[in-house]
Amino acid sequence: MAKSPELVIYDLDGVITDTAEFHYLAWKNLAEQLGILIDRNFNEQLKGISRMDSLDRILELGSSAKPFSYEEKVELATRKNSYYLELIEAITPDHILPGIKNLLQENREANIKIALGSASKNAPLILEKLGLSHYFDYVVDADKVKKGKPDPETFTAAADALGVSYSNCIGIEDAAAGVEAVNQANMFSVGVGDRAHLAHAHYLVNETSELDFQKITQQFQKWRQTY
Ligand code: BG6
Ligand code: MG
């Protein structure tokens, strides 16, 4: 008999809600103060990456700038986060991406566990603002892991906490680093977005409105048979 998944782990930024734009605007504001210009193309490589790692990539881009001490970097990252918190103040359930509420509902009705696997320290706050916290059996945010994506820890931590084997898990991601993390965890990866960035996903859709719970489960079962 075909094996059903036991746990689906959702990324937050770019899968459940589009906070990527807010992260971009907040980083752009900080980078400009340091005389560093970033654009949306550069921002692609910041998706799924932790706050401090994102700062390092921006500082590397402006490599002519002076080196910063750890304390100075903490101040810069905190400043970026204060811009970000101002921007996300306005988030409401209207900011849930198309198809996601339905997907979570079908996921729950199928009695399959639900976890969040996010690199963001703001994840619990955002879930609260979206009115979605009650769907989640477990939340992994940046404070619960030592190594961020593309390391698999964000995903394996969710499976470990809920007592599920990795091969019975699905991870849904919009970032290249996230898909890599799911694959490294030996889980079934669902990518949302452009093939140019997400070619390694086991199953790929263009946008969240195309995420269909039945289809995802069928694709998981095909993959699981060859596992
Ligand atoms: C990820 C985002 O979910 O969280 C990244 O894709 C972001 O862009 C990272 O840098 C960390 O977020 P936060 O809220 O802890 O600064
Ligand atoms: Mg994401």
Side-chain angles (χ1 to χ4, degrees):
M1 211 181 79
K3 176 84 193 151
S4 290
E6 289 177 28
L7 167 65
V8 184
I9 307 164
Y10 293 75
D11 173 47
L12 177 68
D13 294 328
V15 170
I16 291 178
T17 187
D18 191 13
T19 39
E21 181 68 11
F22 297 141
H23 278 296
Y24 169 62
L25 294 173
W27 279 128
K28 193 172 164 61
N29 189 358
L30 181 85
E32 271 168 14
Q33 293 169 20
L34 302 171
I36 303 169
L37 284 183
I38 62 167
D39 59 17
R40 286 195 167 75
N41 191 34
F42 176 81
N43 190 55
E44 276 304 313
Q45 57 162 291
L46 301 185
K47 287 187 179 173
I49 302 294
S50 75
R51 195 182 302 170
M52 280 311 244
D53 289 349
S54 299
L55 177 65
D56 281 340
R57 290 192 188 197
I58 291 168
L59 295 178
E60 234 169 71
L61 182 73
S63 51
S64 58
K66 66 163 182 134
F68 291 90
S69 67
Y70 177 72
E71 287 71 23
E72 285 170 321
K73 283 200 212 171
V74 169
E75 189 279 318
L76 291 173
T78 307
R79 209 192 303 167
K80 178 267 175 177
N81 194 50
S82 69
Y83 302 146
Y84 180 68
L85 287 174
E86 269 172 43
L87 292 167
I88 64 169
E89 189 55 42
I91 287 187
T92 69
D94 288 343
H95 290 81
I96 300 170
L97 281 167
I100 292 296
K101 188 96 189 262
N102 195 34
L103 188 70
L104 287 169
Q105 191 62 34
E106 287 184 11
N107 192 151
R108 196 161 73 170
E109 281 164 13
N111 275 322
I112 293 168
K113 290 185 177 124
I114 301 179
L116 191 83
S118 175
S120 172
K121 295 190 178 191
N122 295 301
L125 169 71
I126 294 172
L127 276 190
E128 227 18 80
K129 282 183 165 291
L130 295 170
L132 294 177
S133 305
H134 63 285
Y135 279 106
F136 291 84
D137 297 297
Y138 194 72
V139 172
V140 177
D141 59 26
D143 286 332
K144 290 217 177 78
V145 294
K146 288 196 193 74
K147 291 185 188 159
K149 303 168 190 177
D151 187 279
E153 191 184 352
T154 301
F155 293 89
T156 56
D160 291 346
L162 294 168
V164 179
S165 308
Y166 303 157
S167 60
N168 295 336
C169 298
I170 297 174
I172 309 183
E173 263 292 346
D174 71 313
V179 168
E180 197 183 324
V182 177
N183 290 348
Q184 291 285 334
N186 293 318
M187 297 177 181
F188 180 71
S189 57
V190 177
V192 185
D194 202 330
R195 182 164 295 280
H197 297 114
L198 305 176
H200 296 303
H202 295 123
Y203 174 55
L204 184 67
V205 297
N206 286 309
E207 40 196 62
T208 57
S209 61
E210 293 167 31
L211 289 168
D212 177 275
F213 197 70
Q214 295 297 331
K215 259 191 216 160
I216 293 172
T217 307
Q218 282 163 10
Q219 294 295 326
F220 165 84
Q221 286 171 340
K222 271 195 207 161
W223 169 80
R224 193 63 173 67
Q225 275 162 8
T226 60
Y227 189 78

